Amino acid sequence: KQEVTQIPAALSVPEGENLVLNCSFTDSAIYNLQWFRQDPGKGLTSLLLIQSSQREQTSGRLNASLDKSSGRSTLYIAASQPGDSATYLCAGLYNQGGKLIFGQGTELSVKP
Amino acid sequence: GAVVSQHPSWVICKSGTSVKIECRSLDFQATTMFWYRQFPKQSLMLMATSNEGSKATYEQGVEKDKFLINHASLTLSTLTVTSAHPEDSSFYICSASRSSAIQETQYFGPGTRLLVL
């Protein structure tokens, strides 16, 4: 069964800290791995997309890595800011079925 | 580019009524659209995949007679929740892609919050 898991479910950090969000997936036959941001009551904002042949992607203060062999992806946020407070979702796009399978999300709170 | 809108953004209805939610691709033609449901503090769960001009493919456990999906044009898909009940209260999000090819990006709408009283 294709499953995506995110730990922790919630995380609170002081402003300025670097932090890592974790995502694990059960089936290594993914086409790509995506990270999204969701603000309360809002839709999804795409942050980073890593193809299965890639190891990492960077955008500004965000860096996402992908290790297919271990079934893990991480989202690294440098110098966190209160504006980074949101729920972060990872999702694997699987070759079989071409479906996006989402993790449960990590609710991040960055305290000023 | 690649903007997806949903209407309404929120809706409150009485139990037993039907509610229609629209998903539109504003600046591109969307051959394929996806409908997701998200309960509070939970992840997005795919409900169904629709391709323009054909019947939607529903995920296991999703009642196709309760959640009617129509994808009659390349820019519009609708989800109708028939005979809504309080347990149908949820956040419904659609996404759209230019084709059904796996490499096509899914562009997400802003979501519709449904509250059934």
Side-chain angles (χ1 to χ4, degrees):
Chain A
K1 183 180 179 183
Q2 298 163 342
E3 290 184 350
V4 177
T5 305
Q6 290 184 250
I7 296 174
L11 179 65
S12 182
V13 300
E15 181 178 4
E17 268 203 11
N18 303 325
L19 60 101
V20 175
L21 306 181
N22 297 294
C23 173
S24 60
F25 45 95
T26 56
D27 185 347
S28 62
I30 59 169
Y31 186 82
N32 63 45
L33 192 291
Q34 302 177 46
W35 283 92
F36 297 88
R37 168 182 173 141
Q38 185 177 31
D39 292 289
K42 303 293 184 181
L44 304 182
T45 300
S46 179
L47 297 174
L48 289 165
L49 183 154
I50 313 174
Q51 299 291 353
S52 62
S53 58
Q54 298 174 323
R55 298 280 294 182
E56 65 178 330
Q57 283 287 331
T58 298
S59 175
R61 293 182 295 110
L62 306 180
N63 176 277
S65 69
L66 175 65
D67 184 344
K68 284 183 58 179
S69 61
S70 66
R72 293 175 184 269
S73 175
T74 61
L75 179 66
Y76 174 83
I77 303 178
S80 58
Q81 303 170 358
D84 295 330
S85 298
T87 295
Y88 291 81
L89 296 161
C90 69
L93 179 62
Y94 284 87
N95 293 327
Q96 186 176 0
K99 301 174 188 175
L100 267 177
I101 307 295
F102 283 83
Q104 306 93 318
T106 294
E107 186 175 357
L108 174 65
S109 176
V110 180
K111 303 294 186 184
Chain B
V3 178
V4 176
S5 70
Q6 284 184 239
H7 178 79
S9 56
W10 60 270
V11 56
I12 301 174
C13 70
K14 292 182 179 181
S15 184
T17 61
S18 293
V19 176
K20 180 184 286 188
I21 301 171
E22 293 184 348
C23 177
R24 292 182 184 273
S25 56
L26 299 184
D27 51 3
F28 68 100
Q29 293 187 326
T31 301
T32 304
M33 288 186 172
F34 304 84
W35 286 96
Y36 297 83
R37 180 169 54 185
Q38 184 180 34
F39 291 110
K41 300 293 186 181
Q42 295 187 28
S43 188
L44 278 73
M45 298 298 293
L46 180 64
M47 299 174 67
T49 303
S50 72
N51 290 295
E52 186 265 339
S54 60
K55 290 184 179 181
T57 302
Y58 290 81
E59 293 300 300
Q60 191 173 10
V62 178
E63 301 174 58
K64 60 179 172 61
D65 293 330
K66 180 168 182 64
F67 298 100
L68 301 179
I69 292 173
N70 183 280
H71 191 167
S73 79
L74 287 172
T75 58
L76 173 65
S77 176
T78 59
L79 168 67
T80 301
V81 184
T82 62
S83 187
H85 288 96
E87 57 265 31
D88 298 324
S89 298
S90 186
F91 194 52
Y92 292 86
I93 302 178
C94 72
S95 69
S97 61
R98 291 182 172 85
S99 79
S100 59
I102 192 171
Q103 64 266 32
E104 285 288 354
T105 300
Q106 288 186 36
Y107 299 97
F108 285 83
T112 296
R113 186 163 301 282
L114 170 64
L115 177 60
V116 185
L117 302 176

